[in-house]
């Protein structure tokens, strides 16, 4: 919550709470790593308490007019990760706690299943994005292996997501969006998902 306050004071326009990819918050929500026997462990609702309290505290610090995003693990891809029903339940609880928008993440870093490598088809995780979108009324962002403007447009047109986020495609070509706006998508230096220099 203090970080959120600093972000606002520094002139940022939003803050995103990282609840995915096996980081701390995700370790609370998944039975795989949460072995607690207090009010933060055991049932799905108890394991969701930590992210819910973080969202509530962040909202209280930044006020109602500052966007708070939550990056949810839409699929954990690890043994004893969150189930589909648990992910849907968490999404609804986080929305109720004061989240304005939900970004989707996939897999833990410990997972043997690749999520962003070239062997993963473009927009391969769209089924999990749609699962989250159908669970909440706030905007949902699709991410991971979306490196083509036509693929991004399809996700939006079909209602899979409300927005699309990109990271590696912008490392490959910082002018990605500008070239799309100019009607020059063929000139984009497309990310080939080699994972060299951005992750490895």
């Amino acid at each position: 919550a203090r970080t959120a306050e600093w972000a606002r004071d520094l002139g940022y326009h939003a803050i995103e709470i990282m609840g995915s990819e096996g980081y701390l918050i995700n370790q609370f929500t998944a039975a795989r790593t949460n072995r607690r026997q207090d009010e933060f462990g055991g049932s799905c609702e108890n394991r969701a308490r930590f992210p819910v309290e973080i969202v509530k505290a962040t909202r209280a610090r930044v006020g109602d007019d500052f966007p708070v995003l939550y990056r949810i693990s839409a699929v954990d891809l690890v043994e004893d990760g969150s189930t589909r029903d648990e992910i849907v339940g968490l999404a609804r609880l986080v929305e109720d706690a004061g989240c304005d928008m939900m970004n989707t993440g996939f897999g833990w870093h410990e997972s043997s299943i690749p999520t962003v490598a070239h062997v993963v088809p473009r927009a391969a995780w769209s089924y999990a994005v749609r699962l989250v979108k159908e669970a909440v009324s706030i905007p949902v962002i699709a991410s991971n292996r979306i490196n083509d403007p036509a693929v991004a447009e399809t996700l939006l047109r079909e209602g899979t997501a409300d927005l699309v986020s990109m990271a590696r495609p912008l490392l490959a070509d910082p002018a990605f969006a500008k070239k799309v706006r100019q009607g020059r998508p063929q000139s984009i230096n497309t990310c080939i998902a080699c994972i060299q220099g951005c992750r490895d």
Side-chain angles (χ1 to χ4, degrees):
R2 184 174 295 159
T3 301
E5 195 171 79
W6 289 337
R8 183 175 191 141
D9 292 345
L10 289 171
Y12 289 96
H13 301 290
I15 188 165
E16 182 172 273
I17 298 165
M18 176 49 116
S20 185
E21 278 87 19
Y23 290 110
L24 179 64
I25 297 172
N26 203 181
Q27 292 172 18
F28 268 80
T29 60
R32 172 187 180 88
T33 45
N34 187 336
R35 306 288 186 212
R36 299 175 69 105
Q37 297 181 6
D38 60 7
E39 68 272 22
F40 291 95
S43 70
C44 178
E45 292 75 18
N46 281 1
R47 286 183 277 121
R49 186 184 306 269
F50 186 55
V52 165
E53 292 300 323
I54 290 172
V55 173
K56 285 181 179 178
T58 301
R59 173 56 65 210
R61 282 286 181 116
V62 299
D64 292 333
D65 62 341
F66 192 81
V68 175
L69 288 72
Y70 184 85
R71 180 139 172 132
I72 190 167
S73 185
V75 58
D76 282 341
L77 301 176
V78 289
E79 187 176 351
D80 294 327
S82 296
T83 66
R84 178 180 293 228
D85 288 344
E86 289 172 340
I87 291 164
V88 165
L90 175 62
R92 291 175 178 150
L93 290 169
V94 167
E95 177 183 20
D96 291 345
C99 178
D100 296 302
M101 194 177 303
M102 206 157 290
N103 197 357
T104 51
F106 312 95
W108 288 34
H109 293 300
E110 295 83 358
S111 174
S112 61
I113 300 169
T115 58
V116 293
H118 70 280
V119 296
V120 179
R122 287 178 172 155
W125 309 109
S126 59
Y127 75 92
V129 177
R130 186 175 290 277
L131 175 75
V132 172
K133 180 161 173 51
E134 290 172 352
V136 297
S137 60
I138 56 177
V140 173
I141 306 169
S143 66
N144 285 43
R145 285 297 284 136
I146 304 166
N147 61 357
D148 180 296
V151 172
E153 190 62 37
T154 298
L155 291 171
L156 300 174
R157 188 175 55 252
E158 291 178 350
T160 300
D162 301 291
L163 297 101
V164 172
S165 68
M166 296 180 185
R168 291 167 184 87
L170 300 180
L171 292 174
D173 191 342
F176 186 105
K178 180 179 181 181
K179 290 176 180 178
V180 173
R181 280 196 308 273
Q182 292 174 342
R184 302 186 299 118
Q186 71 283 355
S187 68
I188 292 171
N189 183 36
T190 303
C191 171
I192 60 171
C194 64
I195 317 301
Q196 301 301 307
C198 62
R199 185 165 177 181
D200 287 348

